[in-house]
């Protein structure tokens, strides 16, 4: 079942969150590339071309990718789906990217609320984030505000571009 689009108010703007289509990928890719190459939040390979990066972000069923747009400008994107296959498929997971120039305006919160509701609607029992970089304070704060807790931190699991080896939080929220 495809989730409908959602209009949500964030400070000084109306953001629509809707299913991402292949036509959206060229507008998502600059956010993906910038975020990955900053080396602060994702362990995806760097220097991926438009075509190479596509399968790393654009999900196929049962997973789902969305975009947050304002007047056809992509502000951010999220992907969500089962955390594991088979007997682990009752727990959801998600990943998020917001255009660095648009951060601090509530786009991440809108995307976070969307994926939580998506997971509930699709019958998931909980949501697990496997790799939240511990030095990504805005993300950790946002997820805690939305009800996630840090279950554990894997020490030195992420090679941060500025801080070197830092921990990755495993975060969870019961649905």
């Amino acid at each position: 079942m495809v989730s409908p689009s959602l209009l949500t108010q964030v400070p000084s703007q109306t953001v629509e969150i809707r299913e991402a289509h292949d036509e959206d990928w060229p507008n998502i890719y600059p956010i993906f590339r910038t975020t990955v190459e900053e080396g602060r939040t994702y362990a995806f390979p760097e220097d991926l071309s438009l075509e190479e990066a596509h399968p790393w972000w654009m999900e196929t069923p049962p997973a789902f990718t969305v975009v947050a747009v304002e007047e056809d400008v992509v502000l951010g994107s999220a992907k969500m789906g089962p955390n594991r296959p088979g007997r682990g498929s009752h727990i959801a997971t998600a990943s998020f990217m917001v255009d660095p120039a648009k951060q601090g305006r509530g786009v991440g919160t809108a995307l976070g609320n969307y994926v939580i509701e998506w997971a509930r609607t699709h019958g998931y029992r909980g949501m697990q984030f496997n790799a939240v970089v511990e030095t990504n304070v805005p993300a950790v704060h946002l997820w805690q505000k939305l009800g996630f807790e840090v279950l554990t931190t894997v020490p030195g699991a992420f090679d941060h571009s500025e801080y070197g080896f830092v921990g990755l939080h495993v975060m969870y929220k019961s649905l």
Side-chain angles (χ1 to χ4, degrees):
M1 175 173 145
V2 173
S3 296
S5 71
L6 168 80
L7 285 175
T8 185
Q9 290 284 1
V10 297
S12 76
Q13 63 188 3
T14 300
V15 173
E16 177 188 9
I17 299 175
R18 62 166 174 76
E19 180 178 7
H21 303 284
D22 282 336
E23 307 84 62
D24 294 309
W25 177 242
N27 296 315
I28 298 169
Y29 175 71
I31 299 168
F32 177 93
R33 184 173 175 96
T34 299
T35 302
V36 171
E37 290 186 358
E38 283 177 344
R40 298 169 180 263
T41 55
Y42 281 94
F44 292 137
E46 295 179 24
D47 297 321
L48 294 173
S49 70
L50 179 78
E51 296 78 20
E52 292 169 328
H54 185 273
W56 287 93
W57 196 256
M58 297 297 285
E59 294 287 352
T60 59
F64 187 64
T65 303
V66 297
V67 288
V69 296
E70 178 184 40
E71 298 178 5
D72 295 325
V73 174
V74 174
L75 307 175
S77 181
K79 63 180 193 160
M80 63 218 79
N83 188 51
R84 306 296 309 153
R87 294 191 176 271
S89 64
H90 58 284
I91 302 297
T93 193
S95 297
F96 307 81
M97 290 186 181
V98 175
D99 181 338
K102 309 293 192 246
Q103 291 175 353
R105 295 170 47 184
V107 176
T109 300
L111 286 166
N113 284 320
Y114 182 94
V115 301
I116 291 167
E117 189 55 35
W118 177 89
R120 277 193 183 111
T121 300
H122 287 81
Y124 290 94
R125 297 182 54 140
M127 182 169 273
Q128 177 179 323
F129 298 154
N130 302 311
V132 180
V133 178
E134 69 181 342
T135 57
N136 187 354
V137 175
V140 173
H141 175 73
L142 171 58
W143 306 139
Q144 288 175 326
K145 182 176 83 173
L146 294 179
F148 287 82
E149 62 180 304
V150 175
L151 298 180
T152 193
T153 303
V154 182
F158 183 78
D159 187 6
H160 193 282
S161 62
E162 183 179 352
Y163 302 120
F165 295 105
V166 299
L168 287 176
H169 292 323
V170 176
M171 300 185 78
Y172 180 78
K173 174 182 178 68
S174 177
L175 299 177

